Amino acid sequence: MYDNNSTKVVIGPVRLSYVNVIKPRPVNAGEEPRYSATLIIPKDNTEMINKIKVAINNAYNAATATFGGKLPPINTIKLPVRDGDAERPDDEAMAGSLFINTSSKLKPGVLKFAANGEKVPVTSEDDIYSGCYGYVSVNFFAYNRNGNKGISAGLNNVLVTERGDYLGGRSSAESDFNDIQAPAASGPVVDGINW
Protein backbone atom coordinates (compact mmCIF):
# COMPACT_ATOMS: atom_id res chain seq x y z
CA MET A 1 0.00 0.00 0.00
CA TYR A 2 1.28 3.47 -0.87
CA ASP A 3 2.02 5.71 2.14
CA ASN A 4 1.57 9.39 1.25
CA ASN A 5 3.88 10.43 4.13
CA SER A 6 6.71 8.08 3.30
CA THR A 7 10.13 8.83 1.86
CA LYS A 8 10.09 5.34 0.32
CA VAL A 9 8.52 4.56 -3.05
CA VAL A 10 8.49 1.61 -5.44
CA ILE A 11 9.33 3.07 -8.85
CA GLY A 12 8.34 1.25 -11.98
CA PRO A 13 8.17 0.00 -14.48
CA VAL A 14 11.52 1.56 -15.37
CA ARG A 15 14.46 0.72 -17.60
CA LEU A 16 17.68 0.10 -15.69
CA SER A 17 21.07 1.48 -16.67
CA TYR A 18 24.54 1.46 -15.05
CA VAL A 19 23.45 -1.63 -13.12
CA ASN A 20 25.71 -2.85 -10.31
CA VAL A 21 23.40 -4.74 -7.97
CA ILE A 22 25.10 -8.15 -7.81
CA LYS A 23 28.62 -6.83 -7.11
CA PRO A 24 29.44 -3.37 -5.75
CA ARG A 25 31.73 -1.10 -7.72
CA PRO A 26 33.31 2.26 -6.91
CA VAL A 27 31.82 5.22 -8.76
CA ASN A 28 35.22 6.93 -8.90
CA ALA A 29 38.72 5.53 -8.40
CA GLY A 30 39.63 5.27 -4.73
CA GLU A 31 36.03 5.40 -3.50
CA GLU A 32 34.27 2.73 -1.47
CA PRO A 33 32.43 0.23 -3.73
CA ARG A 34 28.66 0.66 -3.78
CA TYR A 35 25.66 -1.10 -5.27
CA SER A 36 23.91 1.13 -7.77
CA ALA A 37 21.48 1.51 -10.65
CA THR A 38 20.16 4.38 -12.73
CA LEU A 39 16.39 4.36 -13.20
CA ILE A 40 15.08 5.67 -16.54
CA ILE A 41 11.49 6.90 -16.10
CA PRO A 42 9.32 7.93 -19.08
CA LYS A 43 8.19 11.54 -18.70
CA ASP A 44 4.64 10.55 -19.65
CA ASN A 45 4.32 8.34 -16.53
CA THR A 46 2.89 11.27 -14.56
CA GLU A 47 1.35 9.08 -11.85
CA MET A 48 4.75 7.60 -10.98
CA ILE A 49 6.50 10.98 -11.22
CA ASN A 50 3.95 12.47 -8.80
CA LYS A 51 4.60 9.67 -6.28
CA ILE A 52 8.34 10.34 -6.57
CA LYS A 53 7.75 14.09 -6.02
CA VAL A 54 5.72 13.36 -2.87
CA ALA A 55 8.46 11.09 -1.46
CA ILE A 56 11.17 13.68 -2.22
CA ASN A 57 9.07 16.42 -0.63
CA ASN A 58 8.59 14.23 2.46
CA ALA A 59 12.37 13.69 2.71
CA TYR A 60 12.92 17.45 2.35
CA ASN A 61 10.34 18.31 5.04
CA ALA A 62 11.89 15.79 7.45
CA ALA A 63 15.40 17.24 7.01
CA THR A 64 15.38 20.25 9.33
CA ALA A 65 18.07 18.71 11.57
CA THR A 66 20.16 17.58 8.58
CA PHE A 67 20.14 21.12 7.20
CA GLY A 68 21.23 22.70 10.50
CA GLY A 69 17.85 23.57 11.99
CA LYS A 70 16.35 25.43 9.03
CA LEU A 71 15.12 24.17 5.67
CA PRO A 72 16.82 25.93 2.75
CA PRO A 73 14.55 26.80 -0.18
CA ILE A 74 14.03 23.56 -2.11
CA ASN A 75 15.15 25.21 -5.37
CA THR A 76 18.60 25.85 -3.83
CA ILE A 77 19.45 22.21 -3.08
CA LYS A 78 20.37 19.35 -5.41
CA LEU A 79 17.46 17.04 -6.23
CA PRO A 80 17.80 13.44 -7.46
CA VAL A 81 15.43 13.58 -10.47
CA ARG A 82 17.23 14.70 -13.62
CA ASP A 83 16.11 15.38 -17.18
CA GLY A 84 17.54 12.92 -19.71
CA ASP A 85 16.79 15.18 -22.68
CA ALA A 86 18.70 18.10 -21.12
CA GLU A 87 21.60 16.27 -19.46
CA ARG A 88 22.14 13.39 -21.89
CA PRO A 89 20.84 14.61 -25.28
CA ASP A 90 23.03 12.16 -27.25
CA ASP A 91 21.82 9.08 -25.31
CA GLU A 92 18.74 7.68 -27.08
CA ALA A 93 17.83 5.56 -24.02
CA MET A 94 17.31 8.82 -22.09
CA ALA A 95 15.12 10.50 -24.74
CA GLY A 96 11.76 11.57 -23.35
CA SER A 97 12.77 10.40 -19.88
CA LEU A 98 13.80 11.49 -16.44
CA PHE A 99 16.45 9.56 -14.55
CA ILE A 100 17.46 8.93 -10.95
CA ASN A 101 20.83 7.58 -9.81
CA THR A 102 20.40 5.26 -6.83
CA SER A 103 23.03 3.63 -4.64
CA SER A 104 23.60 1.75 -1.40
CA LYS A 105 26.45 0.41 0.69
CA LEU A 106 24.23 -2.59 1.50
CA LYS A 107 23.45 -5.29 -1.07
CA PRO A 108 19.91 -4.87 -2.39
CA GLY A 109 17.52 -7.77 -2.63
CA VAL A 110 17.19 -8.65 -6.32
CA LEU A 111 14.33 -10.81 -7.60
CA LYS A 112 12.95 -12.00 -10.95
CA PHE A 113 9.94 -14.03 -12.00
CA ALA A 114 10.48 -17.77 -12.52
CA ALA A 115 8.57 -19.63 -15.25
CA ASN A 116 5.85 -20.53 -12.72
CA GLY A 117 5.37 -16.84 -11.75
CA GLU A 118 7.11 -17.17 -8.41
CA LYS A 119 9.60 -14.45 -7.44
CA VAL A 120 13.09 -15.94 -7.06
CA PRO A 121 16.48 -14.41 -6.18
CA VAL A 122 18.77 -13.17 -8.96
CA THR A 123 22.40 -14.14 -8.42
CA SER A 124 23.86 -13.73 -11.90
CA GLU A 125 24.72 -10.49 -13.69
CA ASP A 126 23.34 -12.18 -16.83
CA ASP A 127 19.83 -11.80 -15.37
CA ILE A 128 20.08 -8.11 -14.47
CA TYR A 129 21.97 -5.75 -16.72
CA SER A 130 21.81 -2.27 -18.24
CA GLY A 131 18.79 -2.41 -20.52
CA CYS A 132 16.41 -4.67 -18.62
CA TYR A 133 13.17 -3.46 -17.04
CA GLY A 134 11.71 -3.70 -13.58
CA TYR A 135 10.60 -2.10 -10.34
CA VAL A 136 12.94 -0.55 -7.80
CA SER A 137 12.31 0.27 -4.14
CA VAL A 138 13.95 3.61 -3.33
CA ASN A 139 14.25 5.63 -0.12
CA PHE A 140 14.85 9.38 -0.49
CA PHE A 141 16.91 11.13 2.19
CA ALA A 142 18.53 14.50 2.79
CA TYR A 143 22.29 15.08 2.95
CA ASN A 144 24.48 17.99 3.99
CA ARG A 145 28.18 17.29 3.33
CA ASN A 146 31.04 19.69 2.72
CA GLY A 147 28.67 22.52 1.85
CA ASN A 148 26.62 20.36 -0.54
CA LYS A 149 22.95 20.05 0.35
CA GLY A 150 20.35 17.94 -1.34
CA ILE A 151 18.12 14.92 -1.49
CA SER A 152 19.56 11.58 -2.59
CA ALA A 153 18.05 8.23 -3.59
CA GLY A 154 18.95 5.11 -1.63
CA LEU A 155 18.66 1.79 -3.46
CA ASN A 156 16.62 -0.78 -1.50
CA ASN A 157 15.48 -3.70 -3.68
CA VAL A 158 14.94 -4.59 -7.35
CA LEU A 159 12.40 -6.79 -9.17
CA VAL A 160 13.40 -7.61 -12.76
CA THR A 161 10.29 -8.01 -14.93
CA GLU A 162 11.52 -8.00 -18.51
CA ARG A 163 14.66 -8.42 -20.56
CA GLY A 164 15.54 -5.58 -22.90
CA ASP A 165 18.21 -4.69 -25.41
CA TYR A 166 21.56 -4.08 -23.78
CA LEU A 167 22.55 -0.47 -23.27
CA GLY A 168 26.10 0.70 -23.84
CA GLY A 169 26.77 -1.00 -27.16
CA ARG A 170 26.61 -4.63 -26.05
CA SER A 171 24.26 -6.84 -28.02
CA SER A 172 22.70 -10.20 -27.22
CA ALA A 173 23.82 -13.38 -28.95
CA GLU A 174 20.25 -13.80 -30.20
CA SER A 175 20.28 -10.45 -31.99
CA ASP A 176 23.81 -10.96 -33.41
CA PHE A 177 22.86 -14.28 -34.98
CA ASN A 178 19.14 -13.66 -35.68
CA ASP A 179 19.49 -14.06 -39.48
CA ILE A 180 21.61 -17.22 -39.41
CA GLN A 181 19.71 -20.46 -39.91
CA ALA A 182 20.73 -23.90 -38.66
CA PRO A 183 22.70 -25.85 -41.29
CA ALA A 184 21.00 -28.75 -43.06
CA ALA A 185 21.95 -32.16 -41.72
CA SER A 186 24.48 -33.82 -44.02
CA GLY A 187 26.03 -36.38 -41.74
CA PRO A 188 25.86 -37.69 -38.18
CA VAL A 189 24.96 -35.13 -35.54
CA VAL A 190 27.13 -35.18 -32.40
CA ASP A 191 26.46 -32.62 -29.66
CA GLY A 192 24.34 -30.60 -32.08
CA ILE A 193 27.11 -30.28 -34.72
CA ASN A 194 26.88 -31.93 -38.15
CA TRP A 195 30.05 -33.95 -38.94
Side-chain angles (χ1 to χ4, degrees), residues 45-144:
N45 190 342
T46 54
E47 181 180 352
M48 181 55 50
I49 292 167
N50 287 334
K51 287 181 181 181
I52 293 167
K53 287 179 181 179
V54 167
I56 290 171
N57 196 54
N58 290 340
Y60 168 77
N61 287 326
T64 303
T66 302
F67 292 137
K70 182 179 178 187
L71 291 177
I74 198 163
N75 64 341
T76 65
I77 64 172
K78 187 170 181 169
L79 298 175
V81 179
R82 296 161 64 187
D83 188 328
D85 293 314
E87 293 193 36
R88 305 222 179 123
D90 297 332
D91 186 344
E92 70 178 58
M94 294 286 184
S97 298
L98 302 172
F99 69 97
I100 300 173
N101 295 323
T102 66
S103 69
S104 176
K105 292 179 183 177
L106 303 175
K107 183 172 179 29
V110 184
L111 300 173
K112 67 177 181 176
F113 287 105
N116 64 2
E118 182 182 338
K119 294 178 190 95
V120 296
V122 171
T123 56
S124 169
E125 289 180 329
D126 292 336
D127 290 330
I128 184 163
Y129 55 87
S130 295
C132 64
Y133 295 84
Y135 290 80
V136 182
S137 171
V138 173
N139 187 59
F140 293 101
F141 62 92
Y143 64 87
N144 184 0

Side-chain angles (χ1 to χ4, degrees), residues 2 4 8-9 22 25 29 60 78 97-98 103 110 113 126 131 139 144 147 170 172-174 189 192-193:
Y2 182 65
N4 204 34
K8 178 181 169 183
V9 64
I22 303 299
R25 292 187 174 85
Y60 168 77
K78 187 170 181 169
S97 298
L98 302 172
S103 69
V110 184
F113 287 105
D126 292 336
N139 187 59
N144 184 0
R170 181 177 174 196
S172 68
E174 293 82 5
V189 176
I193 298 173

